[in-house]
Amino acid sequence: MSHTLHLTPTSSKEETYRSLLPQLKALLEGESDTIANFANISSALKMTFGFFWVGFYIVKKDELVLGPFQGTIACTRIKYGKGVCGTAWKEKRTVIVEDVNQFPGHIACDAASQSEIVVPLFHHDEVIAVLDIDSEHLNHFDETDAYYLQQIVKLLES
């Protein structure tokens, strides 16, 4: 089955997210494999927004392990509470970092990354993975990104 994203290039960020959501829902329908779904979501977000890096880290015991992603080579394992991803996991909340160089304990997988957003995925109130997105621009992410990325993550949780 072939899937193509249909987006209007001149749309605002919010309009783009609103247009993308139902397309992602359709893309995920009928597919129960988590890795396949993580891979397609990573690709769709990278294609749509041109983010520097998009991917998932999956909770395995006391660390996050790299899952499907789009972008440059990444850190493979992140300890609980470490870096932006580990902080989002520990605090069970979305974390937006305007300047990663100002984030205490930031893990620099690629020096080109300047800002970051991490959104946790839940199963029965426990974090099972995080969606990590990096930008090569400062102050790239805001509450609009947080809101819609949380909606996208909810598609994966159901």
Side-chain angles (χ1 to χ4, degrees):
M1 177 174 355
S2 175
H3 293 282
T4 303
L5 296 177
H6 301 284
L7 302 164
T8 306
T10 58
S11 296
S12 70
K13 177 169 46 174
E14 185 167 8
E15 289 169 337
T16 302
Y17 275 119
R18 275 195 256 138
S19 174
L20 182 62
L21 264 170
Q23 295 180 72
L24 292 179
K25 183 177 181 184
L27 180 66
L28 299 175
E29 280 180 0
E31 181 51 66
S32 61
D33 187 85
T34 302
I35 299 300
N37 288 333
F38 284 3
N40 271 333
I41 293 295
S42 296
S43 178
L45 288 169
K46 175 90 165 144
M47 286 173 43
T48 301
F49 294 101
F51 294 132
F52 178 71
W53 196 94
V54 180
F56 291 87
Y57 283 92
I58 302 163
V59 174
K60 295 193 179 188
K61 296 183 183 175
D62 65 342
E63 59 189 359
L64 294 166
V65 179
L66 181 64
F69 72 93
Q70 297 281 313
T72 59
I73 293 172
C75 299
T76 306
R77 294 174 185 271
I78 300 171
K79 293 287 186 193
Y80 181 76
K82 302 297 180 190
V84 182
C85 290
T87 298
W89 175 21
K90 180 180 179 182
E91 297 180 4
K92 295 184 175 184
R93 67 176 181 89
T94 298
V95 177
I96 298 172
V97 179
E98 296 175 352
D99 180 350
V100 296
N101 298 306
Q102 302 303 312
F103 187 88
H106 175 255
I107 301 167
C109 297
D110 190 310
S113 176
Q114 296 297 306
S115 61
E116 186 171 0
I117 185 168
V118 179
V119 182
L121 283 79
F122 294 92
H123 182 71
H124 299 297
D125 252 1
E126 290 302 316
V127 176
I128 58 168
V130 297
L131 169 60
D132 180 21
I133 304 177
D134 292 18
S135 172
E136 67 272 34
H137 306 288
L138 293 171
N139 303 310
H140 189 100
F141 304 104
D142 58 23
E143 291 304 318
T144 299
D145 296 291
Y147 175 79
Y148 285 101
L149 292 170
Q150 289 165 357
Q151 300 310 305
I152 290 168
V153 161
K154 285 179 184 174
L155 297 173
L156 293 162
E157 294 172 342
S158 53

